[in-house]
């Protein structure tokens, strides 16, 4: 098998890089197990129970996938051999960052949907993550045996259920796929891009297989009713049907890199590096995108990535574009689940592990020091950390080790934020939710540092509800003055930044102005945007001011640092629009340096915020509860007692699906309470859904609590403090 993998690595048209993704508990890891059993890597008896790719002890204990796991295997299809590089991704909303990173490494995705539950919130999220990265999806409807054995559906009802899931999946593809791929990527029952089956019982079928084997819906119902799924699995083995669908319908790197590279790399497509990537050439300049970093006790830092151009060889030197550093590669190779298989080199089109790329983080670009290339586009995570805990070492002597471990954990999981304040000795770790932080806490302890954690704290954001200005910000020497107006960002534009549809950064081209106008921005303002940072904008509305270009970078720096720590409670600001209306600058460059410009622009920004009805935003979660009708009242009460709003209710037979929006601050302990409200008869899931304004009556109290916790004065300073 290993010799075969090494041989097929050099045939990009016979490689398929795929991700398995789904809502939590829809059967991804069981499916992956059966594919590995089909490839002869684990025993067929254990497949489904072994959870081969959940090799972390927390994953085994909790029965869920936490980290994306990689494995390479060989599959025979129509007398040809194919190398399948597979990534099994987590389904829990707290670990969505792993899905985003995995999608950068693959070209195709098998989206798994439970036949009983249908398309769930997290299914929509994984479709969005895949299609945003130009990854082509196919559909596998799992747990079909439950429809027959538990819900007693007949052939017609089965087909109706499949059709409903199929239509919903196609609707998502139509809404989210790239314009030129909407038609091409639409799913179709007849061509076999949709399969259904039971991962646990190791069988699957699609229309082409039905035609080939003669097995039809009624046969499947008979096999399930007669408890004879073993025989069915021999007739239509899951791994053959599913990997056949992957080979047939998902693109090889040779096809995919043609349209994926221009989407994730801004460099010149006609340069040697650009051509090498588009042609998947193993001889072109090296281009590797790092998608994940883990720390191995023996081998140190291990980077996982996708080789887009050239070939990465062991013992060679690589250049880290983002870190501006060189590093020597000690080993390269492919994954075999928990094991790694070393090879001498890994060419373009493959998923690789690299030992020795010291300093690499997820999103880093590796190239050769002689042929430096432009960086790949950064990875945009769909949701951001909203819950924080303070971490302390139990023993003071462990403090230096704790700092090192926290940095390591942040490198392994880029969706968490670690804030190490060496002055106060406070260490804050922010994650996606309670479970995420529990897992992180376990991992810190596991690395040999005993810690205590505070109660979880919710992360807020600052914004304004009104407008103000122009206000005057004076430099300490009184020779430079900036006049700034503030207003909330257009709602449509703000929503686009929250959803990750638009990218932040300095504005370089005229096309960006057109994009701003599409989202409802005034034409004159749209053309004068200098930059977007923290979902806020800085716009230069002045004309003909001498020396302004020379202080532009300082103004942007002042604006960015002000957005990182707002004046209300030292939280991050978002959804703001600052307009520089006028400026008076000293003609001598010595008198308009950083020490003068930075405080002046920060004061003007803080003063304007405090004059424009400053307000806090709180993080919200969508909560979906599936519950029998008798318990509906108890569940809606539970949501409403937590300041939640019921958004939608849908009934199917005697089950009700409640969709609601609840503040994250009110979600602690929800798991236990909702179970007791429904006497254990409910299924529920959450999805982060951005920030909303905190109710006015709670503002004062929460601002005071945050300021006390941070050791600040009880009340925020008024505008006059900044504008005297």
């Amino acid at each position: 098998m290993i010799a075969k993998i090494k041989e097929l690595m050099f045939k990009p048209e016979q490689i398929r890089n795929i991700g398995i993704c789904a809502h939590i508990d829809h059967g991804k890891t069981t499916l992956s197990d059966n594919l590995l059993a089909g490839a002869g890597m684990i025993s067929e008896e254990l497949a489904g129970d072994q959870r081969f790719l959940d090799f972390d002890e927390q994953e085994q204990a909790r029965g869920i996938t936490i980290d994306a796991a990689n494995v390479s295997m060989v599959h025979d299809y129509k007398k040809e051999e194919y190398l399948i590089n597979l990534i099994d991704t987590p389904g829990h909303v707290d670990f969505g960052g792993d899905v985003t990173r995995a999608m950068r490494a693959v070209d195709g995705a098998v989206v798994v949907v439970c036949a009983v539950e249908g398309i769930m919130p997290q299914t929509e999220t994984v479709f969005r993550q895949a299609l945003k990265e130009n990854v082509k999806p196919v559909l596998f409807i799992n747990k079909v045996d439950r429809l027959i054995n538990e819900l007693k559906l007949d052939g017609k009802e089965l087909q109706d259920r499949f059709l409903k899931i199929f239509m919903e999946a196609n609707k998502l593809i139509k809404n989210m796929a790239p314009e030129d791929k909407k038609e091409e990527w639409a799913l179709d029952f007849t061509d076999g891009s949709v399969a259904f089956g039971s991962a646990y019982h190791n069988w699957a079928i699609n229309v082409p297989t039905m035609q080939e084997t003669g097995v039809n819906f009624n046969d499947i119902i008979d096999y399930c009713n007669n408890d004879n799924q073993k025989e069915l699995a021999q007739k239509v083995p899951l791994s053959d049907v599913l990997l056949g669908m992957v080979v047939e319908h998902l693109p090889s790197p040779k096809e995919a890199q043609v349209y994926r590279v221009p989407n994730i790399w801004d460099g010149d497509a006609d340069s040697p590096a650009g051509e090498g990537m588009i042609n998947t050439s193993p001889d072109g300049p090296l281009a590797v995108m790092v998608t994940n970093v883990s720390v191995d006790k023996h081998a140190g830092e291990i980077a996982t990535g996708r080789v887009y151009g050239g070939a990465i060889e062991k013992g060679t030197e690589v250049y880290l574009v983002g870190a501006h550093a060189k590093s020597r590669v000690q080993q390269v190779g492919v994954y075999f689940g928990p094991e790694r298989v070393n090879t001498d080199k890994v060419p373009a089109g493959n998923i690789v592990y690299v030992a020795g790329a010291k300093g690499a983080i997820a999103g880093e670009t590796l190239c050769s020091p002689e042929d430096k290339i432009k960086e790949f586009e950064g990875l945009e995570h769909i949701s951001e950390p909203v819950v924080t805990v303070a971490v302390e070492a139990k023993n003071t002597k462990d403090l230096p080790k704790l700092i090192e471990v926290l940095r390591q954990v942040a490198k392994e999981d880029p969706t968490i934020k670690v804030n190490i304040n060496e002055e106060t000795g406070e260490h804050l770790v922010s994650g996606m939710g309670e479970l995420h932080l529990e897992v992180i806490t376990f991992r810190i302890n596991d690395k040999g540092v005993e810690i205590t954690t505070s109660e979880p704290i919710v992360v807020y954001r600052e914004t304004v509800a009104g407008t103000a200005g122009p206000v005057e910000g004076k430099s300490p020497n009184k020779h430079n003055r900036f006049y700034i107006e503030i207003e909330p960002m257009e709602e449509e534009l703000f929503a686009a930044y929250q959803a990750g549809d638009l990218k932040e950064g300095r504005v370089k081209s005229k096309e960006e102005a057109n994009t701003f106008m599409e989202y409802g921005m005034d034409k004159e303002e749209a053309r004068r945007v200098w930059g977007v940072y923290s979902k806020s904008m800085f716009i230069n509305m002045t004309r003909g001011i001498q020396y302004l270009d020379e202080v532009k970078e300082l103004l942007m720096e002042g604006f960015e640092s002000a957005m990182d720590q707002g004046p209300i409670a030292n939280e991050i600001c978002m959804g703001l629009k600052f307009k520089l209306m006028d400026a008076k600058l000293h003609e001598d460059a010595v008198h308009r340096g950083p020490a003068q410009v930075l405080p002046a622009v920060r004061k003007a920004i803080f003063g304007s915020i405090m004059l424009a009805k400053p307000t806090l935003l709180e993080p919200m979660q969508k909560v979906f509860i599936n519950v029998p009708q008798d318990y509906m009242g108890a569940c809606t009460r539970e949501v409403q007692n937590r300041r939640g709003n019921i958004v939608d209710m849908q009934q199917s037979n005697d089950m009700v699906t409640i969709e609601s929006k609840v503040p994250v601050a009110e979600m602690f302990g929800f798991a236990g309470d909702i179970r007791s409200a429904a006497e254990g008869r409910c299924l529920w899931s959450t999805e982060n859904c951005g920030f909303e304004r905190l109710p006015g009556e709670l503002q004062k109290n929460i601002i005071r609590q945050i300021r006390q916790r941070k050791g600040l004065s009880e009340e925020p300073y008024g505008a006059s403090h900044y504008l005297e």
Side-chain angles (χ1 to χ4, degrees), residues 359-592:
I361 55 169
E364 179 61 271
T365 301
L366 306 183
C367 63
S368 72
E370 298 77 50
D371 273 314
K372 289 184 185 164
I373 64 165
K374 206 168 173 196
E375 221 172 343
F376 282 101
E377 258 188 36
L379 290 156
E380 298 257 333
H381 291 106
I382 281 187
S383 42
E384 47 188 313
V386 290
V387 183
T388 301
V389 287
V391 174
E392 278 179 18
K394 275 189 182 168
N395 303 320
T396 330
K397 65 174 184 3
D398 282 342
L399 197 59
K401 192 171 179 192
L402 173 63
I403 291 175
E404 185 192 322
V405 166
L406 284 173
R407 288 195 172 125
Q408 208 176 73
V409 166
K411 190 173 249 192
E412 289 185 348
D413 184 350
T415 48
I416 66 165
K417 283 207 172 96
V418 173
N419 188 349
I420 299 171
N421 188 331
E422 290 180 10
E423 286 172 28
T424 60
E426 188 181 45
H427 307 111
L428 298 177
V429 179
S430 308
M432 299 293 176
E434 271 184 294
L435 176 64
H436 195 192
L437 289 173
E438 273 179 39
V439 169
I440 295 299
T441 306
F442 177 87
R443 288 187 176 171
I444 294 171
N445 282 323
D446 202 36
K447 290 180 191 290
V449 181
E450 284 195 42
I451 55 167
T452 54
T453 56
S454 68
E455 285 295 302
I457 309 154
V458 174
V459 176
Y460 291 86
R461 294 283 184 264
E462 302 186 12
T463 191
V464 298
T467 59
V471 302
E472 179 188 62
K474 296 197 264 296
S475 62
N477 64 10
K478 307 286 188 282
H479 292 316
N480 305 283
R481 291 161 194 253
F482 299 100
Y483 298 88
I484 282 177
E485 279 185 10
I486 183 175
E487 60 186 65
M489 192 187 271
E490 285 75 5
E491 271 183 33
E492 210 183 324
L493 193 58
F494 182 46
Y497 278 111
Q498 283 220 66
D501 297 339
L502 294 179
K503 298 212 169 21
E504 297 188 355
R506 304 290 161 91
V507 173
K508 298 187 182 83
S509 66
K510 295 241 164 62
E511 287 85 67
E512 288 182 66
N514 298 335
T515 310
F516 297 147
M517 286 187 272
E518 277 169 36
Y519 285 100
M521 205 171 162
D522 173 77
K523 185 177 176 182
E524 191 59 28
E525 285 180 14
R527 288 181 169 169
R528 293 169 160 269
V529 177
W530 267 0
V532 183
Y533 178 79
S534 183
K535 303 178 184 64
S536 298
M537 269 182 175
F538 195 86
I539 306 169
N540 169 29
M541 298 299 286
T542 64
R543 287 176 190 276
I545 291 191
Q546 224 176 347
Y547 314 122
L548 191 63
D549 272 359
E550 292 174 32
V551 295
K552 177 179 175 177
E553 276 309 309
L554 291 173
L555 286 170
M556 290 307 290
E557 205 179 304
F559 154 67
E560 287 172 9
S561 69
M563 293 301 94
D564 285 339
Q565 285 189 317
I568 312 173
N570 257 13
E571 296 279 356
I572 294 170
C573 300
M574 66 198 282
L576 303 174
K577 220 164 75 175
F578 295 97
K579 295 190 278 194
L580 180 66
M581 305 307 289
D582 196 4
K584 294 189 170 72
L585 294 164
H586 197 283
E587 64 230 23
D588 188 346
V590 174
H591 294 297
R592 49 167 202 269

Side-chain angles (χ1 to χ4, degrees), residues 19-217:
I20 306 256
C21 49
H23 186 83
I24 188 166
D25 281 342
H26 278 199
K28 294 174 301 300
T29 304
T30 308
L31 172 68
S32 303
D33 260 17
N34 279 305
L35 297 182
L36 298 178
M41 289 171 68
I42 60 175
S43 92
E44 291 195 9
E45 277 65 47
L46 289 174
D49 292 328
Q50 184 173 349
R51 302 212 315 276
F52 182 72
L53 295 178
D54 281 356
F55 40 82
D56 178 87
E57 74 179 275
Q58 279 279 289
E59 296 182 311
Q60 290 283 352
R62 293 173 186 271
I64 60 169
T65 302
I66 293 171
D67 300 316
N70 302 46
V71 65
S72 297
M73 56 188 160
V74 176
H75 176 65
D76 290 333
Y77 179 72
K78 293 186 176 170
K79 299 197 171 77
E80 286 271 8
E81 286 182 323
Y82 291 87
L83 171 61
I84 312 278
N85 296 319
L86 177 145
I87 303 183
D88 177 31
T89 65
H92 194 287
V93 63
D94 283 10
F95 308 107
D98 275 275
V99 186
T100 304
R101 296 193 292 280
M103 289 303 141
R104 181 58 65 90
V106 299
D107 304 314
V110 178
V111 179
V112 183
V113 177
C114 167
V116 181
E117 291 186 6
I119 285 187
M120 295 289 279
Q122 202 58 23
T123 320
E124 287 189 31
T125 306
V126 297
F127 262 117
R128 186 180 305 123
Q129 286 168 306
L131 293 164
K132 195 174 170 196
E133 284 287 345
N134 265 355
V135 168
K136 182 182 180 182
V138 290
L139 180 67
F140 175 61
I141 301 171
N142 190 19
K143 305 192 185 183
V144 173
D145 53 316
R146 287 186 56 198
L147 293 183
I148 299 163
N149 293 346
E150 293 172 28
L151 300 181
K152 308 288 183 208
L153 301 192
D154 62 25
K156 167 85 175 71
E157 290 169 319
L158 268 185
Q159 290 183 34
D160 289 348
R161 177 67 62 105
F162 295 157
L163 199 62
K164 184 177 178 234
I165 293 173
F166 164 77
M167 304 280 277
E168 275 186 57
N170 256 345
K171 191 173 161 194
L172 292 173
I173 293 173
K174 197 167 180 204
N175 290 343
M176 301 180 207
E179 279 305 317
D180 56 333
K181 302 285 182 204
K182 285 187 194 303
E183 297 299 315
E184 193 187 325
W185 287 4
L187 301 167
D188 186 347
F189 269 121
T190 55
D191 70 4
S193 54
V194 182
F196 40 89
S198 165
Y200 188 73
H201 291 289
N202 205 357
W203 63 269
I205 197 157
N206 55 10
V207 172
T209 317
M210 282 180 159
Q211 290 162 349
E212 248 170 69
T213 58
V215 176
N216 60 25
F217 276 110

Side-chain angles (χ1 to χ4, degrees), residues 623-644:
V623 182
F624 300 84
I625 305 167
N626 195 297
V627 66
Q629 216 168 342
D630 303 354
Y631 297 95
M632 182 180 83
C635 290
T636 49
R637 264 196 307 282
E638 188 55 53
V639 166
Q640 284 160 339
N641 289 345
R642 294 169 179 270
R643 290 199 289 122

Side-chain angles (χ1 to χ4, degrees), residues 599-660:
V601 72
R602 281 173 63 98
K603 282 178 180 172
I605 284 174
F606 286 165
S608 65
I609 290 174
M610 295 314 288
L611 285 170
K613 297 186 190 152
T615 177
L616 282 186
L617 299 172
E618 63 176 345
M620 304 293 286
Q621 277 187 333
K622 275 188 189 166
V623 182
F624 300 84
I625 305 167
N626 195 297
V627 66
Q629 216 168 342
D630 303 354
Y631 297 95
M632 182 180 83
C635 290
T636 49
R637 264 196 307 282
E638 188 55 53
V639 166
Q640 284 160 339
N641 289 345
R642 294 169 179 270
R643 290 199 289 122
N645 293 325
I646 307 296
V647 180
D648 190 19
M649 273 181 158
Q650 287 185 349
Q651 195 168 344
S652 127
N653 304 330
D654 63 335
M655 296 297 280
V656 179
T657 303
I658 304 164
E659 182 186 334
S660 58

Side-chain angles (χ1 to χ4, degrees), residues 472-473 567 602-604 606-607 610 717-724:
E472 179 188 62
R602 281 173 63 98
K603 282 178 180 172
F606 286 165
M610 295 314 288
Y717 295 118
S720 56
H721 173 79
Y722 302 104
L723 304 174
E724 81 291 339

